[in-house]
C-alpha cells in the first residue's frame, strides 16, 4: 500500500495529475459559480425581512465554511507531511494557506457589509464573526511562520505542528467565544441569523458552496504546480517535460 | 529507562533552569516590572474613576499577565539554543517531552508565580472588591501555567529564527484567548458575588489539556527547529 | 584488553545524501564503523562536515539513504541509539552561569549510563583540578571545551561524535585529548571526528574521509 | 435591469461583497499562473544556458 501512495505522491506524478485536472476544475468551477450567482442574485426571491441585502449570504456563508474547511485540510496534510515525510502533502498545506486566509478575510468583510444595513454598525462582536477573526489570526500566524523559516522542509514541518496545535484549539476557541457571546448578549437580540431558508433560497447556497470547494481545489493545484516547478527544477524529468513540451 | 532516572532527569532540569534564572536576576524582574507598569498605565490612559476601573480591573490584569508571560517566554530556549545545550538535551536518551516539561515548570515558577503574588496589590490599586480577590488568585494560578505551556510551543517553533519575537506573539496570542475569556470573566462574576465554579472547571480542563499535550508538541517543534 | 563494548554495535551508513539550499553537499556516502575504529572527516569549510555529524546523530534527516545502528535505523528507536552516543558539537553546551560540576551533573542526569567515576575525577582527568566550583564563564574557551569533553569520561558510551574537538585547546591539552580518543578506540570504542589534527592510530584503526569535491 | 443593480437600496453592500469576492478569488488564480510563467522562463533560460556551454551534453 505504501509504495502505491509514495508512487502517486511523488512530485512527478502529482505534477502530471495536476496538469490534467486543472483545466477541468477551472471550467467546472466557473460554470458552478455562474449558475450559483444566477440562482442567488436573480432567481431567489426577496427576503420579506431583510430585502435584497440577504443575498450577500451566497458569498459570506460559503466563504466562512471554506475558511474552516481549508484549515482542516492544512492540518491534515501537514500531519501527513510530518509523519510520513511526503513532500507533496507539505506543498498542499502551504498552497492552501493563502486561499484559506483570503476566504476568511472575505467572510469577515462580507459579514460586516451584511451587518451594516441591519444594525447600522460596521462591526458587531458577534460570536461567529469573532471566531472568524481569530481564525484569520491563525492563518496569518501560519503564513508568517512559513515565510520566516528559510529551509523549505523545516518550514513545512514547523507549520504542520502549528496547524495541528491550531486545529486542536479551534473548537476550544469557538466554544469560548460562543459562551462569552451569550454572556454579553443582553436584551436586544443581535443574533446574526440567516433568514428562514426557503428551498429556493437554499439551492443557490449549496451550488455556491460546491463551486467554492471546486475553486479551492483549482486554485490550490495551481499553487502546488508552481511549488513543484520551483522545487524540482533541476530534475531530469522536469527538464525533459519542458524541453519536450515546446509550447 | 528506570523511572528513578526519569524523575531524576526531570528534577535536574528543573533545578538547572531555576539556578540559571536565579543567577541572572533580570530574567525574573523584567516580566514582573512590565506587569506592574502595564497595569498602572490604564488608570492614566482611561480614567482614575473608581467604578470604571473596577469593571475593567479583571481585563486589565489578565491582559497584562498575558503580555508579561509572552515577553518572558523567549528565555526558555533562547540561551540554550545559542550555546548548544539545547542540542545536548535533544540528544539525551531521556524523553524530550519530560525535559521540556521541567523547563516549562521552571519558567512558570520564575515568571508565572511572581505575577500571582503581586496581582492582589494591583487588584487593590484598581479597586477590585474583596470577593474577587480569591477569583483573581485562582484564575491566575490555573491560567498562567497554561500560558507557559502553550507559549513554549510557539517559542520552540521560533527559537531558530533571528527575529522570532513578534512572530511569537502572532502564533501564541490567539491560543491564549480561551484562557483570557474564562479567567477575566470569572473575576468579574466573582466581583458580582456569583459563584464561578463553572469558569474554574473550564480553566482546570484547559490546564489538564495543556500539561498533557503541550510538552509533546514542544518536543516535536524543537526537533524540527534544530534540524 | 577485552573490549568493553559488545562486538555487535556497528554503525552502518548507507548511500547518505544531503542537500543544503538546493546545492547537494554530498551524495551516495556509505561506510561502516565497527568497534575499535575511528573515522576522521576532513574537508574545506562549508563542505558539510558538521552537517554529516548532525545527520549521524539523528538531529537532521538525510534527503536519501539511511543510518543503521545494530542493523536498525537510528530514526526509529531513537532512545536506544542515543543511549550509546555522545555528541560534542562546535557549540559544546557548557552553561557559563553553571560551575563545571553543575554542568556535569546535568549531563549525567540526562544520560542513561551509570558513571564509573565521580564528576571531580572526570574534571581532574581533563586537567581542571581546582576549577570545579568557579562559574564556567570565568574559565577560558579551552577549559570550557574540556568540561564538555569531561562528559565523555563521566558517561562512557561506545560511540563518540566530536566536532573539531581540538579547537582552542593548548598543545599540552591537545595531547591529552588525543590520548583520550586513541585509548577509547583501542578499548573497542568508536569515534567520528572532524579535525585536521593527526591522530597516532594505525591504519586498521583509523579511516579518513575527505569531503573536498 | 437597473432595478436589479439597485438591489432594493442595498446596492453598495451587495455589490461590494461580490466585488471583493471576485477580486480575492481572481487574485488567488492570477498570482500562481503568473508565477508559473516566470518559473518556466527561468528554467528554460537555465536550460539554454546549460546547453549553451556544453552543447554535446
Amino acid at each position: 500500500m505504501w509504495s502505491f501512495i509514495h508512487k502517486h505522491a511523488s512530485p512527478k506524478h502529482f505534477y502530471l495529475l495536476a496538469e490534467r485536472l486543472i483545466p477541468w476544475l477551472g471550467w467546472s468551477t466557473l460554470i458552478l459559480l455562474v449558475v450559483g450567482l444566477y440562482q442567488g442574485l436573480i432567481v431567489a426571491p426577496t427576503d420579506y425581512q431583510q430585502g435584497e441585502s440577504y443575498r450577500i449570504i451566497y458569498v459570506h456563508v460559503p466563504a466562512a465554511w471554506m475558511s474552516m474547511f481549508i484549515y482542516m485540510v492544512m492540518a491534515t496534510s501537514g500531519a501527513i507531511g510530518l509523519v510520513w515525510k511526503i513532500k507533496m502533502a507539505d506543498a498542499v498545506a502551504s498552497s492552501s494557506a493563502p486561499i484559506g486566509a483570503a476566504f476568511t478575510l472575505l467572510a469577515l468583510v462580507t459579514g460586516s457589509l451584511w451587518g451594516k444595513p441591519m444594525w447600522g454598525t460596521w462591526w458587531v462582536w458577534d460570536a461567529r464573526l469573532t471566531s472568524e477573526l481569530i481564525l484569520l489570526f491563525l492563518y496569518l500566524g501560519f503564513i508568517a511562520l512559513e515565510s520566516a523559516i528559510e529551509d523549505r522542509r523545516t518550514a513545512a514541518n514547523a507549520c504542520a505542528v502549528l496547524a495541528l496545535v491550531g486545529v486542536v484549539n479551534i473548537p476550544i476557541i469557538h466554544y469560548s467565544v460562543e459562551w462569552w457571546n451569550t454572556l454579553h448578549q443582553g436584551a436586544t437580540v443581535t443574533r446574526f441569523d440567516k433568514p428562514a431558508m426557503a428551498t429556493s433560497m437554499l439551492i443557490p447556497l449549496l451550488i455556491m458552496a460546491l463551486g467554492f470547494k471546486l475553486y479551492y481545489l483549482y486554485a490550490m493545484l495551481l499553487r502546488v504546480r508552481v511549488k513543484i516547478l520551483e522545487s524540482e527544477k533541476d530534475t531530469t524529468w522536469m527538464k525533459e517535460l519542458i524541453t519536450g513540451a515546446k509550447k | 529507562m528506570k523511572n528513578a532516572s526519569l524523575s531524576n532527569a526531570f528534577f535536574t532540569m528543573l533545578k538547572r533552569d531555576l539556578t540559571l534564572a536565579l543567577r541572572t536576576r533580570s530574567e525574573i524582574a523584567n516580566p514582573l516590572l512590565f506587569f506592574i507598569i502595564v497595569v498602572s498605565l490604564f488608570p492614566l490612559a482611561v480614567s482614575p474613576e473608581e467604578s470604571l476601573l473596577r469593571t475593567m480591573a479583571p481585563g486589565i490584569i489578565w491582559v497584562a499577565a498575558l503580555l508579561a508571560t509572552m515577553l518572558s517566554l523567549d528565555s526558555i530556549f533562547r540561551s540554550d539554543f545559542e550555546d548548544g545545550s539545547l542540542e545536548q538535551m535533544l540528544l539525551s536518551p531521556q524523553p524530550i517531552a519530560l525535559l521540556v516539561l521541567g523547563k516549562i515548570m521552571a519558567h512558570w515558577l520564575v515568571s508565572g508565580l511572581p505575577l500571582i503574588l503581586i496581582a492582589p496589590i494591583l487588584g487593590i490599586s484598581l479597586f477590585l472588591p474583596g470577593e474577587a480577590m480569591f477569583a483573581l488568585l485562582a484564575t491566575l494560578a490555573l491560567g498562567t501555567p497554561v500560558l507557559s505551556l502553550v507559549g513554549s510551543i510557539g517559542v520552540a517553533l521560533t527559537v531558530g529564527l533571528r527575529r522570532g519575537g513578534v512572530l511569537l506573539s502572532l502564533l501564541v496570542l490567539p491560543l491564549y484567548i480561551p484562557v483570557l475569556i474564562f479567567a477575566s470573566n470569572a473575576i468579574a462574576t466573582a466581583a458580582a458575588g456569583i459563584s464561578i465554579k463553572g469558569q474554574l472547571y473550564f480553566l482546570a480542563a484547559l490546564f489538564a489539556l495543556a500539561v498533557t499535550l503541550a510538552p509533546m508538541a514542544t518536543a516535536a517543534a524543537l526537533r524540527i527547529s534544530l534540524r | 584488553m577485552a573490549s568493553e563494548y559488545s562486538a555487535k554495535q556497528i554503525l552502518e551508513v548507507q548511500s547518505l545524501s544531503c542537500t543544503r539550499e538546493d546545492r547537494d553537499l554530498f551524495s551516495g556516502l556509505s561506510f561502516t564503523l565497527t568497534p575499535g575504529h575511528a573515522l576522521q572527516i576532513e574537508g574545506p569549510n562549508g563542505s558539510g562536515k558538521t552537517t554529516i555529524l548532525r545527520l549521524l546523530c539523528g538531529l537532521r534527516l538525510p534527503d536519501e539513504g539511511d543510518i543503521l545502528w545494530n542493523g536498525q535505523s537510528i530514526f526509529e528507536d531513537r532512545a536506544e541509539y542515543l543511549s550509546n552516543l555522545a555528541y560534542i558539537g562546535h557549540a559544546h553546551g557548557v552553561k557559563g552561569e553553571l560551575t563545571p560540576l553543575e554542568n556535569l551533573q546535568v549531563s549525567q542526569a540526562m544520560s542513561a549510563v551509570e558513571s564509573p567515576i565521580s564528576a571531580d575525577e572526570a574534571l581532574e582527568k581533563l586537567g581542571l583540578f581546582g576549577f570545579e566550583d568557579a562559574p564556567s564563564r570565568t574559565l577560558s574557551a579551552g577549559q570550557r571545551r574540556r568540561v564538555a569533553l569531561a562528559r565523555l569520561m563521566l558517561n562512557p558510551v561506545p560511540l563518540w561524535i566530536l566536532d573539531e574537538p581540538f579547537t582552542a585547546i593548548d598543545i599540552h591539552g591537545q595531547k591529552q585529548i588525543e590520548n583520550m580518543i586513541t585509548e577509547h578506540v583501542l578499548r573497542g570504542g568508536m569515534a567520528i571526528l572532524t579535525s585536521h589534527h593527526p591522530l597516532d592510530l594505525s591504519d586498521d584503526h583509523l579511516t579518513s574521509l575527505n569531503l573536498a569535491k | 435591469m437597473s432595478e436589479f443593480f439597485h438591489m432594493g437600496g442595498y446596492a453598495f453592500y451587495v455589490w461590494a461583497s461580490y466585488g471583493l469576492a471576485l477580486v480575492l478569488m481572481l487574485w488567488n488564480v492570477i498570482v500562481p499562473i503568473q508565477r508559473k510563467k516566470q518559473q518556466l522562463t527561468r528554467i528554460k533560460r537555465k536550460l539554454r544556458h546549460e546547453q549553451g556551454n556544453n552543447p554535446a551534453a
Side-chain angles (χ1 to χ4, degrees):
Chain A
M1 217 279 276
W2 284 124
S3 60
F4 171 77
I5 291 182
H6 270 284
K7 190 168 78 61
H8 274 286
S10 79
K12 182 167 185 281
H13 283 85
F14 204 95
Y15 185 86
L16 299 174
L17 186 69
E19 284 282 286
R20 266 206 313 278
L21 275 178
I22 281 174
W24 290 102
L25 280 174
W27 289 112
S28 44
T29 307
L30 198 62
I31 294 161
L32 265 174
L33 289 184
V34 165
V35 166
L37 282 178
Y38 175 74
Q39 291 286 338
L41 289 176
I42 297 159
V43 170
T46 321
D47 178 64
Y48 66 93
Q49 229 183 2
Q50 298 179 15
E52 301 300 339
S53 70
Y54 91 98
R55 293 184 193 280
I56 298 177
I57 184 178
Y58 296 123
V59 171
H60 171 70
V61 170
W65 284 344
M66 284 312 289
S67 63
M68 189 63 77
F69 173 73
I70 292 176
Y71 200 89
M72 300 300 161
V73 169
M74 275 161 53
T76 348
S77 56
I80 292 170
L82 196 61
V83 172
W84 289 288
K85 316 263 182 304
I86 299 176
K87 255 199 291 192
M88 276 306 99
D90 298 335
V92 164
S94 87
S95 308
S96 307
I99 305 167
F103 274 133
T104 319
L105 184 67
L106 182 60
L108 273 175
V109 172
T110 50
S112 144
L113 280 169
W114 188 8
K116 178 76 169 96
M118 277 212 277
W119 303 297
T121 56
W122 283 108
W123 178 259
V124 60
W125 286 97
D126 163 77
R128 272 192 295 269
L129 277 183
T130 317
S131 300
E132 200 70 40
L133 180 65
I134 299 168
L135 183 59
L136 183 63
F137 295 149
L138 293 180
Y139 271 108
L140 296 178
F142 184 97
I143 295 169
L145 181 65
E146 193 194 9
S147 58
I149 301 175
E150 287 86 18
D151 175 54
R152 282 282 45 68
R153 202 152 58 130
T154 320
N157 291 331
C159 291
V161 170
L162 181 68
L164 285 168
V165 170
V167 98
V168 167
N169 274 284
I170 281 181
I172 300 171
I173 292 173
H174 192 69
Y175 171 77
S176 321
V177 169
E178 288 281 337
W179 177 80
W180 159 80
N181 185 269
T182 52
L183 272 180
H184 300 281
Q185 197 60 68
T188 61
V189 177
T190 56
R191 282 299 294 158
F192 185 60
D193 264 340
K194 298 197 286 296
M197 292 300 284
T199 41
S200 61
M201 289 181 184
L202 195 58
I203 295 163
L205 187 61
L206 299 180
I207 299 172
M208 287 298 281
L210 189 59
F212 272 41
K213 276 208 167 40
L214 283 182
Y215 164 81
Y216 158 59
L217 214 55
Y218 171 65
M220 188 261 289
L221 283 180
L222 283 178
R223 281 182 183 265
V224 168
R225 194 170 55 173
V226 173
K227 286 198 188 311
I228 297 176
L229 278 174
E230 278 154 8
S231 67
E232 306 296 311
K233 60 182 184 296
D234 302 320
T235 56
T236 46
W237 67 270
M238 174 64 75
K239 287 177 182 156
E240 279 148 18
L241 198 70
I242 291 173
T243 45
K246 259 287 175 273
K247 59 177 161 39
Chain B
M1 210 61 66
K2 311 184 294 305
N3 46 30
S5 74
L6 277 181
S7 59
N8 176 25
F10 175 79
F11 287 112
T12 312
M13 195 49 115
L14 178 63
K15 197 162 72 67
R16 166 193 182 269
D17 269 40
L18 281 181
T19 33
L20 278 172
L22 293 175
R23 288 193 184 155
T24 48
R25 271 293 169 282
S26 69
E27 236 175 88
I28 305 172
N30 291 355
L32 204 55
L33 290 178
F34 175 87
F35 181 53
I36 297 164
I37 293 167
V38 166
V39 169
S40 37
L41 288 181
F42 280 85
L44 301 166
V46 180
S47 94
E49 206 268 329
E50 185 182 336
S51 66
L52 192 59
L53 280 180
R54 178 180 295 121
T55 43
M56 289 176 52
I60 296 173
I61 291 179
W62 254 96
V63 167
L66 220 72
L67 298 178
T69 315
M70 264 277 308
L71 269 177
S72 61
L73 280 177
D74 214 39
S75 67
I76 302 180
F77 297 124
R78 178 64 62 190
S79 66
D80 290 347
F81 173 75
E82 270 143 17
D83 61 26
S85 40
L86 198 55
E87 243 171 26
Q88 292 298 322
M89 191 180 90
L90 286 182
L91 289 177
S92 145
Q94 309 286 7
I96 301 169
L98 185 74
L99 302 177
V100 158
L101 190 61
K103 287 178 80 64
I104 296 168
M105 193 163 156
H107 171 262
W108 179 74
L109 288 171
V110 163
S111 74
L113 200 54
L115 296 190
I116 298 174
L117 300 179
I118 201 134
I121 300 161
L122 297 176
I124 293 164
S125 75
L126 295 174
F127 309 106
L128 200 63
E131 310 85 21
M133 276 311 164
F134 166 74
L136 176 67
L137 292 175
T139 52
L140 281 171
L142 282 173
T144 44
V146 177
L147 302 185
S148 294
L149 284 159
V150 171
S152 76
I153 303 173
V155 82
L157 285 170
T158 58
V159 70
L161 310 176
R162 280 175 310 284
R163 305 169 312 287
V166 179
L167 178 61
L168 177 65
S169 50
L170 181 60
L171 301 186
V172 163
L173 283 179
L175 307 179
Y176 281 172
I177 286 171
V179 175
L180 180 67
I181 289 177
F182 280 95
S184 45
N185 175 272
I187 304 170
T189 335
I194 306 159
S195 128
I196 53 166
K197 276 208 205 41
Q199 289 91 331
L200 290 187
Y201 284 149
F202 194 84
L203 284 172
L206 286 182
F207 180 25
L209 188 72
V211 86
T212 41
L213 296 184
M216 282 184 278
T218 307
L222 282 178
R223 256 203 291 276
I224 292 164
S225 300
L226 258 74
R227 205 165 281 168
Chain C
M1 197 161 57
S3 146
E4 282 167 34
Y5 308 108
S6 77
K8 69 177 175 53
Q9 283 168 332
I10 300 164
L11 183 73
E12 239 178 287
V13 172
Q14 296 168 341
S15 66
L16 211 61
S17 80
C18 177
T19 56
R20 187 163 44 183
E21 287 102 24
D22 59 51
R23 179 175 63 81
D24 51 9
L25 290 173
F26 50 81
S27 54
L29 176 67
S30 302
F31 61 85
T32 309
L33 197 64
T34 51
H37 281 84
L39 175 73
Q40 190 155 10
I41 302 177
E42 281 145 5
N45 291 339
S47 57
K49 297 202 293 293
T50 305
T51 312
I52 290 187
L53 294 190
R54 290 174 70 82
L55 281 171
L56 293 175
C57 300
L59 275 175
R60 184 187 170 115
L61 291 172
D63 294 335
E64 276 143 45
D66 201 355
I67 303 165
L68 307 177
W69 171 258
N70 297 358
Q72 209 202 3
S73 165
I74 62 171
F75 302 107
E76 268 141 33
D77 182 355
R78 286 175 54 82
E80 165 57 23
Y81 176 58
L82 293 179
S83 49
N84 291 295
L85 158 76
Y87 169 71
I88 297 183
H90 200 61
H92 43 61
V94 170
K95 296 300 285 184
E97 288 306 321
L98 298 178
T99 68
L101 266 179
E102 285 163 343
N103 271 299
L104 285 182
Q105 268 155 16
V106 170
S107 75
Q108 170 58 29
M110 287 210 285
S111 84
V113 178
E114 282 310 314
S115 56
I117 54 172
S118 78
D120 286 285
E121 282 156 345
L123 287 172
E124 207 178 316
K125 272 207 167 117
L126 269 298
L128 289 165
F129 182 73
F131 292 97
E132 292 87 354
D133 292 322
S136 305
R137 56 181 155 71
T138 59
L139 277 68
S140 73
Q143 283 171 319
R144 277 202 298 275
R145 183 165 289 280
R146 286 203 217 146
V147 173
L149 291 166
R151 286 186 212 133
L152 301 173
M153 293 286 113
L154 199 57
N155 322 321
V157 282
L159 175 60
W160 290 0
I161 298 185
L162 313 173
D163 194 350
E164 306 285 352
F166 299 101
T167 43
I169 305 279
D170 55 45
I171 301 297
H172 169 65
Q174 286 181 4
K175 199 79 197 93
Q176 246 181 339
I177 293 166
E178 202 191 300
N179 295 345
M180 215 171 89
I181 297 173
T182 42
E183 259 168 47
H184 172 69
V185 170
L186 295 176
R187 270 204 319 270
M190 292 181 275
I192 301 175
L193 63 151
T194 58
S195 170
H196 301 290
H197 183 91
L199 286 173
D200 62 355
L201 272 168
S202 60
D203 274 356
D204 60 16
H205 283 294
L206 176 66
T207 44
S208 80
L209 169 70
N210 199 313
L211 284 184
K213 274 273 182 312
Chain D
M1 199 40 201
S2 75
E3 194 279 329
F4 164 75
F5 283 113
H6 187 50
M7 270 293 157
Y10 297 110
F12 168 72
Y13 305 108
V14 174
W15 295 120
S17 308
Y18 281 83
L20 179 69
L22 187 67
V23 163
L24 284 175
M25 291 171 90
L26 280 181
W27 177 72
N28 262 322
V29 167
I30 292 166
V31 161
I33 290 178
Q34 262 176 348
R35 271 178 47 204
K36 179 191 176 220
K37 285 202 182 72
Q38 284 161 9
Q39 185 63 18
L40 270 180
T41 41
R42 210 174 294 144
I43 295 178
K44 281 186 185 134
R45 199 178 316 123
K46 196 156 161 290
L47 284 177
R48 264 198 308 280
H49 172 62
E50 271 160 19
Q51 262 129 26
N53 44 22
N54 43 25

